[in-house]
Amino acid sequence: MYSGSMADSHSSDLYDAVNTWGVDDEFFLKFATSATAARVLDLGCGTGRVTLAVALAGCMVTGVDPDGPRLEAARAKPKAGRVEWIVGDSTVIPADYEFDAAIMSANVAQEILDDAELARSSADIAGQLVPGGRLAFDSRDPMARGWEAWTKERSHKIVKLPEGQSQHWYQTTHVDEANGPVEFCAHEVGVDGTENIGCDTLRFRSEEQLRTMLSEAGLVVDDVFGGFAGEPVGQGIGSLVITAHKP
Ligand SMILES: C[S@@+](CC[C@H](N)C(=O)[O-])C[C@H]1O[C@@H](n2cnc3c(N)ncnc32)[C@H](O)[C@@H]1O
């Protein structure tokens, strides 16, 4: 959500340039492709970074995201026709669709600020997984206080965009430790020196909250890791990496 005149396509290019392929993406790709030719739901698929990789690995993938411009950027990528893209949230997925696996990669859950909405999304996913179908998602662990690293000094990056290099960093602007919302701004200084600032809010939820939400949605939690290499909570990268299944 950048302010000013930043074009939607630039915002999506910037998102992809900042979020280059990493161990988290590898985790979700491996999770989604663990069953051959699985039907996979990628809820909150964004620009389709992971969605396309899962489809190209042979899965039938439905990518769903309420952000129309990001989905347009996904649709414009090579081989995007291998994915069914749907604009909206979990409520727009056709009722007769069934999935073997669902993913919400790169902290989608944190962008859903309202607890009731996240609970409904989880219940919708549970409703469309086949018995034995699995869900994986990540959410930053509030105990790790990741927002403290969102300063210019600690998060500054040079990113490569089609038009040249940009500087990018995050700055936390407000933290409500009692309730979880963290407000921050993403800063970009482009090749021509123009600064774009986009501000957003993320919700940090505890392991306990997420476990309760999944259980209320009818899902059984299999694992909660602290990082994408299976580290225990508190010893990884400050994430809660959660897998669950439908009984
Ligand atoms: C940080 S991006 C992650 C995108 C993608 N999963 C990835 O790995 O790059 C979070 C995405 O969650 C989406 N989102 C926000 N609210 C949502 C909701 N209620 N249901 C599904 N997706 C949502 C946003 O539009 C955004 O594209």
Side-chain angles (χ1 to χ4, degrees), residues 5-200:
S5 57
M6 183 187 281
D8 290 333
S9 61
H10 181 73
S11 169
S12 293
D13 285 345
L14 183 60
Y15 178 83
D16 284 353
V18 172
N19 296 283
T20 49
W21 191 265
V23 286
D24 51 344
D25 304 308
E26 208 54 55
F27 173 91
F28 286 110
L29 174 62
K30 199 168 159 196
F31 179 89
T33 56
S34 55
T36 312
R39 295 157 295 177
V40 176
L41 168 66
D42 185 358
L43 182 63
C45 64
T47 58
R49 295 173 327 109
V50 179
T51 335
L52 275 166
V54 174
L56 295 179
C59 297
M60 289 180 289
V61 190
T62 304
V64 179
D65 199 292
D67 186 328
R70 278 199 184 172
L71 219 60
E72 276 315 302
R75 279 198 181 105
K77 289 184 174 175
K79 303 197 175 156
R82 301 276 288 269
V83 173
E84 180 185 19
W85 306 100
I86 304 180
V87 180
D89 59 16
S90 60
T91 60
V92 303
I93 304 165
D96 58 343
Y97 280 27
E98 289 189 324
F99 299 102
D100 302 296
I103 56 173
M104 294 196 293
S105 63
N107 305 302
V108 171
Q110 289 195 260
E111 291 213 7
I112 305 177
L113 301 181
D114 181 46
D115 285 338
E117 191 182 343
L118 184 59
R120 191 200 61 214
S121 304
S122 308
D124 288 343
I125 291 171
Q128 298 198 274
L129 282 175
V130 296
R134 300 172 69 214
L135 165 69
F137 69 102
D138 56 342
S139 189
R140 295 180 191 85
D141 185 353
M143 301 293 284
R145 307 174 69 82
W147 57 81
E148 290 177 350
W150 297 344
T151 64
K152 185 171 182 183
E153 294 68 37
R154 294 177 68 185
S155 66
H156 184 273
K157 266 191 191 180
I158 304 283
V159 293
K160 276 192 196 162
L161 290 161
E163 66 274 24
Q165 290 188 335
S166 274
Q167 298 181 61
H168 186 275
W169 69 92
Y170 295 108
Q171 182 65 58
T172 301
T173 52
H174 184 256
V175 181
D176 177 348
E177 288 196 26
N179 299 304
V182 170
E183 293 168 30
F184 69 100
C185 295
H187 296 251
E188 185 217 4
V189 178
V191 268
D192 63 356
T194 309
E195 182 167 4
N196 291 297
I197 304 176
C199 300
D200 216 338

